[in-house]
Amino acid sequence: MAESPVRRPGGRSAHVRTSVLDAGLAELVDVGFHALSLEGIAKRAGVNKTTLYRRWESKEALMLDAIRERAAARVPIPDTGSLRDDLLTLVRTAIANLLTPEVQAMVRVGIALAPHEAAVATMVDSFWTDRLAVDGVIVERAIRRGEIPPVDPAELIEAVLGPPYFRALVAGRPVTDDFLVRTVDLVLNGVGADDTARC
Amino acid sequence: MAESPVRRPGGRSAHVRTSVLDAGLAELVDVGFHALSLEGIAKRAGVNKTTLYRRWESKEALMLDAIRERAAARVPIPDTGSLRDDLLTLVRTAIANLLTPEVQAMVRVGIALAPHEAAVATMVDSFWTDRLAVDGVIVERAIRRGEIPPVDPAELIEAVLGPPYFRALVAGRPVTDDFLVRTVDLVLNGVGADDTARC
């Protein structure tokens, strides 16, 4: 078959989509969530605003796609064959992603506004329901390998993400790589209480 | 010695202080942090505003005292003789306190504003540096009893508070008592990986 001279619409469409989602995150950092608008994002992306209105019904819907695709791109799901290595890789990339200005702004907005704005609460809920299930695949594989007994996969992910999120967002203390390693090892092995009783 | 007919100034002063701090938390819930002012808190507490200006240099200083004393009153440090029981009691009272409207508003304000307002970041840092050290006494006692090997006390507290804080504030998922029990047991015992290698 001869090469088509026509540009593939899927390629151009995907490119526009990525530009718009990136513009949404950049605009959030610059103007904050209250001043954020589909119109402002369209202007920043150099795209006609009707294009945005056709694809997203609200700024919350657009930002959900933006944060979801950013996480998918920057926090891939590892499959090293070892639960410890998978969790370490995941928590390292997840926290590096959290600490970027765009993601930090998004997460802090979610925490501040979810109790007051239903659209924000829905966005947060959709993101985490989806994302914890995606991350949980790491745990499901470890269970299938017989590496750990059956546990709730999402809950084990929360156990490793919770302490660094707490430290970064709530307590405002520095999250070092050593801390991430100790967090994963604590979840895998426990603090070492009652060792004699287990053997 | 005969009883003094003069009212003890300490008692009255302490009563005024408590009324003001309670008014600060109630006012925060009603008007939000940006509209919060020492003047508004004084009016709500029925106290002359010069009284407040004499004791607190800013609304952040007053709110730090408010959240610190609320935590001290509602989240006492247990001493049952068992690390598991102490951690369970602590995490249950800490999360019950977090989920009150006043404390939730305060914590969400800290998360939203700390990156933008130095006074808020200082307030958050003072609160948690102090509070994690207070909570850490539970861990220090367990180490002294030989119940667990030496670990960083504040870090073990973060390990049990992190997942429920993550669930309540970040992911917006319900925090059940069963979840708190599983969180404490996971930190104490681990997920059960490599059991054979440890024995």
Side-chain angles (χ1 to χ4, degrees):
Chain A
M1 257 166 65
E3 266 184 51
S4 166
V6 181
R7 284 174 72 188
R8 297 201 332 258
R12 176 168 154 68
S13 168
H15 176 73
V16 168
R17 180 179 165 88
T18 302
S19 305
V20 168
L21 297 180
D22 285 349
L25 288 167
E27 188 79 354
L28 171 69
V29 171
D30 280 0
V31 307
F33 193 75
H34 275 302
L36 192 70
S37 67
L38 288 180
E39 192 164 352
I41 296 170
K43 194 172 289 175
R44 184 171 201 128
V47 166
N48 196 299
K49 67 179 176 181
T50 55
T51 308
L52 265 69
Y53 288 116
R54 222 167 27 230
R55 297 193 194 190
W56 291 281
E57 65 178 3
S58 64
K59 66 177 176 182
E60 288 84 3
L62 189 155
M63 295 309 287
L64 172 59
D65 280 352
I67 195 76
R68 191 178 266 163
E69 299 204 359
R70 177 64 61 103
R74 305 266 180 106
V75 191
I77 304 304
D79 186 10
T80 63
S82 145
L83 177 60
R84 181 174 189 272
D85 290 345
D86 284 354
L87 288 176
L88 258 178
T89 302
L90 180 78
V91 76
R92 280 172 170 150
T93 52
I95 299 305
N97 188 49
L98 170 66
L99 296 179
T100 60
E102 295 84 3
V103 176
Q104 224 180 122
M106 198 65 235
V107 172
R108 290 182 195 266
V109 159
I111 294 172
L113 299 185
H116 312 292
E117 301 188 16
V120 173
T122 302
M123 176 176 67
V124 167
D125 182 60
S126 299
F127 176 79
W128 282 109
T129 300
D130 182 44
R131 185 66 215 192
L132 289 174
V134 168
D135 293 340
V137 168
I138 287 174
V139 180
E140 288 163 10
R141 285 197 202 110
I143 296 169
R144 274 204 301 274
R145 285 194 302 265
E147 211 181 333
I148 53 169
V151 290
D152 182 278
E155 214 165 284
L156 198 70
I157 299 299
E158 289 178 295
V160 294
L161 291 183
Y165 262 78
F166 177 88
R167 187 171 271 208
L169 297 175
V170 179
R173 303 185 347 131
V175 179
T176 62
D177 191 66
D178 282 353
F179 175 70
L180 298 181
V181 173
R182 288 195 299 273
T183 298
V184 168
D185 284 335
L186 189 61
V187 165
L188 291 177
N189 305 320
V191 72
D194 294 330
D195 257 330
T196 49
R198 304 176 73 202
C199 299
Chain B
M1 260 166 63
E3 267 185 49
S4 165
V6 180
R7 284 175 72 188
R8 297 201 332 256
R12 176 169 155 68
S13 167
H15 176 74
V16 168
R17 180 179 164 86
T18 301
S19 304
V20 169
L21 297 181
D22 285 348
L25 288 168
E27 188 78 353
L28 171 69
V29 171
D30 280 0
V31 307
F33 194 75
H34 275 300
L36 191 71
S37 67
L38 288 180
E39 193 164 350
I41 297 169
K43 193 172 290 175
R44 184 171 201 127
V47 166
N48 197 299
K49 67 179 175 180
T50 55
T51 309
L52 265 69
Y53 287 116
R54 224 168 25 232
R55 297 192 193 190
W56 292 282
E57 64 179 3
S58 64
K59 67 177 176 181
E60 287 84 3
L62 189 154
M63 295 308 288
L64 172 60
D65 280 351
I67 195 76
R68 192 179 265 161
E69 299 204 1
R70 177 64 60 103
R74 304 267 180 104
V75 191
I77 304 303
D79 186 11
T80 61
S82 144
L83 177 60
R84 181 174 188 273
D85 290 344
D86 283 355
L87 288 177
L88 257 178
T89 302
L90 180 78
V91 76
R92 280 173 169 149
T93 53
I95 298 305
N97 188 48
L98 170 66
L99 295 180
T100 61
E102 295 84 4
V103 176
Q104 224 179 122
M106 197 65 234
V107 172
R108 290 181 195 267
V109 159
I111 293 172
L113 299 184
H116 312 293
E117 302 188 16
V120 173
T122 302
M123 175 176 70
V124 167
D125 182 61
S126 299
F127 176 78
W128 282 109
T129 299
D130 182 44
R131 185 66 213 193
L132 289 174
V134 168
D135 293 340
V137 168
I138 287 173
V139 180
E140 289 163 8
R141 287 197 201 108
I143 296 170
R144 275 203 301 274
R145 285 193 303 266
E147 210 180 332
I148 52 169
V151 289
D152 182 277
E155 214 165 284
L156 198 70
I157 299 299
E158 289 178 296
V160 294
L161 292 183
Y165 262 77
F166 177 88
R167 187 171 272 207
L169 297 175
V170 179
R173 303 187 344 133
V175 179
T176 62
D177 191 66
D178 283 352
F179 175 70
L180 299 180
V181 173
R182 287 195 300 272
T183 297
V184 168
D185 284 336
L186 189 61
V187 165
L188 291 177
N189 305 320
V191 72
D194 294 331
D195 257 327
T196 50
R198 304 175 73 202
C199 298

